[in-house]
Amino acid sequence: MRRKIYRNLEGFFTKWWVIVAIVLFGISFSIFKVYVPTDVGPVWLSLGRLHPIILHFPVTLIFLIGVAEILKLFGISYVPERVLFFVYLLLLASTFASIISGYFLFASGEYSGYLLDQHFNGALVTGFLVFMSFALFCLKWKLRRYSLLYVFIIVLANGAALYTGHQGGNLTHGQNFLTEYLPLIGSEVEMESKVDSNQYLYEDIVQPILEAKCVGCHSTLRAKGNFSVSSFEDLFKEGKSGKVGLKHYLPDESELYLRVIMPDTVPDRMPPAGKTPLDEKEIAILKYWIANGAKMKQGLADSTTADSTKVEMQLLVNQLEPALKRYRFNVHKSKLNAEKLAAELEYLATDMEVVIKRDEEAEGEMYTLSNTFPPAPFDGEKLAQLKPYLDVFTKVSLVSSQIDDADLYIIAQMSNLKELYLQKTKLKGSGFIHLSQLENLKVLNVSFTKVDDKALLDLVKFPALKEVYTYSTETTKDVIIALQKYKPTLQIHAEEGPYF
């Protein structure tokens, strides 16, 4: 019975018209990008949420088929055709289900931007290559002849699946999710430390803790409250409050210690809500270090406290060692990634004739983008080159450029953008609706453009917008007054405004 079913299936899938139909069906995936519904029912939206679960099946199956065919090519192993055939049927079904579910997840509008476009395009190419490889498999089956083209298409399909998975990982977990640790391979970093009484309290224990938990906001480049933990000397300086971070032997008078032990409900508590606080062991070691002088070259056993306290501290350090190792690793990783990002942006800035600088007012590795003076030509094509880096820009000034309303779709993907200066550009305002999704945009300058009243009314949809400059535009005073009454938090200035 099973052999009869198999023979019937073989007869069907080796017909010429079926093979051609399979290829055409793979090509038809392109229509998914042409038409994207905006009104999708809850049933289909629920199907879209299954996408992250379903997609693992085709990725695994195409890999297994690829391995089987390559091993067969080199005569290492042989998997029967009938086994590969049924694996292929499962692969086709799961590939189609994955693309369909991804399509409805895309249609939900929950994701957007360059990474989504790349992920979606990669999925469609992968789907086409999967169906093409099955068509070649059926052709090979019919002609009873091995095909190198077939193996090549399978390899391409695996490559496309890897690329698509990479973009999907970036989309859900952040840019360079799959490649984040590659720069660390072969690099030398001191991951281990001596877990004994000769450890330096500051250098080996306290400093890694502060770098992991505090340096994001309190570094030399970005010292919130005028306080930095980047160096030993900085810890003893006064902050904006007028209080010093540390006092030798006096933890209860050291502002750094007092801030980390404050309750979660106190606004001055550090780190602030949403960031990982110091745990009890880390706080205990910090207090012990300060109480024993807060010295740079101070060993774990160099104190006047009782031996039992020293033993207790040693036990705490031993327990913390895995975390300390992780802190040192993450600091090293961040430095390498920051150096790589800076080098890439420096190259782009030179190539595109723009100015890209580190935003010293922003937290983390954030940058500003502006034209040179006098400005070099800058249009949508140049802007598109920045797509992999859109989320690192906080301030953008493209004054006197060829940017128009269509280009605002790309600018709208700068999720961390706070200030946007587009004076003397080709804007008319029809693309403002794209910018309304920017949750952090506070300043917008469109002076000397053809922005009109209709476009101005779209500003009510901007969640964080505080200031807009509309000098020498086609807006009218009456609409500006009405808009400010409707949204008092929005200040519309009929003046040229600042240049960045």
Side-chain angles (χ1 to χ4, degrees), residues 102-342:
Y103 174 69
F104 286 109
L105 186 60
F106 175 61
S108 71
E110 296 177 6
Y111 298 91
S112 63
Y114 172 74
L115 290 177
L116 177 64
D117 290 340
Q118 296 299 98
H119 179 62
F120 199 0
N121 292 336
L124 299 183
V125 171
T126 303
F128 166 73
L129 291 173
V130 165
F131 276 81
M132 176 64 78
S133 68
F134 181 61
L136 291 173
F137 174 82
C138 293
L139 185 62
K140 176 174 73 79
W141 199 5
K142 180 180 181 66
L143 301 177
R144 306 297 179 182
R145 188 185 306 164
Y146 203 80
S147 170
L148 288 177
L149 176 62
Y150 165 60
V151 176
F152 177 69
I153 293 296
I154 289 178
V155 172
L156 281 184
N158 275 279
L162 179 62
Y163 173 81
T164 305
H166 173 59
Q167 297 300 339
N170 290 346
L171 186 65
T172 55
H173 299 287
Q175 193 171 350
N176 299 323
F177 172 67
L178 296 181
T179 60
E180 183 177 10
Y181 293 102
L182 291 182
L184 296 170
I185 298 176
S187 65
E188 297 200 4
V189 54
E190 184 62 34
M191 298 299 297
E192 304 291 344
S193 66
K194 45 189 184 302
V195 185
D196 56 41
S197 59
N198 293 319
Q199 281 184 303
Y200 286 128
L201 272 169
Y202 173 70
E203 183 178 315
D204 294 324
I205 304 168
V206 174
Q207 187 180 29
I209 293 173
L210 296 180
E211 285 182 340
K213 303 292 180 73
C214 309
V215 82
C217 297
H218 299 281
S219 63
T220 303
L221 291 175
R222 187 174 189 270
K224 271 191 175 181
N226 296 330
F227 181 68
S228 169
V229 299
S230 294
S231 70
F232 178 78
E233 292 76 16
D234 288 342
L235 297 175
F236 297 89
K237 295 178 181 178
E238 285 188 2
K240 190 175 181 180
S241 65
K243 301 174 182 179
V244 296
L246 295 182
K247 286 188 177 182
H248 297 287
Y249 301 102
L250 299 172
D252 292 333
E253 295 182 23
S254 299
E255 191 67 11
L256 172 60
Y257 174 72
L258 294 176
R259 292 291 183 100
V260 300
I261 64 172
M262 287 179 176
D264 296 348
T265 54
V266 178
D268 291 336
R269 187 264 187 121
M270 292 294 151
K275 297 186 180 295
T276 306
L278 278 69
D279 63 28
E280 293 180 1
K281 298 184 184 70
E282 293 166 345
I283 292 174
I285 290 173
L286 176 64
K287 182 178 182 180
Y288 176 80
W289 175 59
I290 300 172
N292 285 278
K295 301 171 185 176
M296 177 180 280
K297 298 297 183 181
Q298 177 181 345
L300 186 59
D302 297 339
S303 70
T304 57
T305 57
D307 289 342
S308 59
T309 304
K310 295 179 184 178
V311 172
E312 182 182 348
M313 286 299 109
Q314 183 65 65
L315 288 174
L316 284 180
V317 171
N318 291 345
Q319 294 170 13
L320 271 177
E321 183 55 28
L324 293 173
K325 178 180 177 180
R326 186 173 68 253
Y327 295 161
R328 287 190 291 272
F329 177 80
N330 288 336
V331 168
H332 182 67
K333 179 192 71 175
S334 297
K335 288 180 179 178
L336 286 180
N337 286 336
E339 291 170 2
K340 179 175 178 287
L341 175 62

Side-chain angles (χ1 to χ4, degrees), residues 25 44 172 200 396 402 408 437:
F25 188 79
W44 300 111
T172 55
Y200 286 128
V396 171
Q402 290 71 50
L408 295 185
Q437 68 185 32

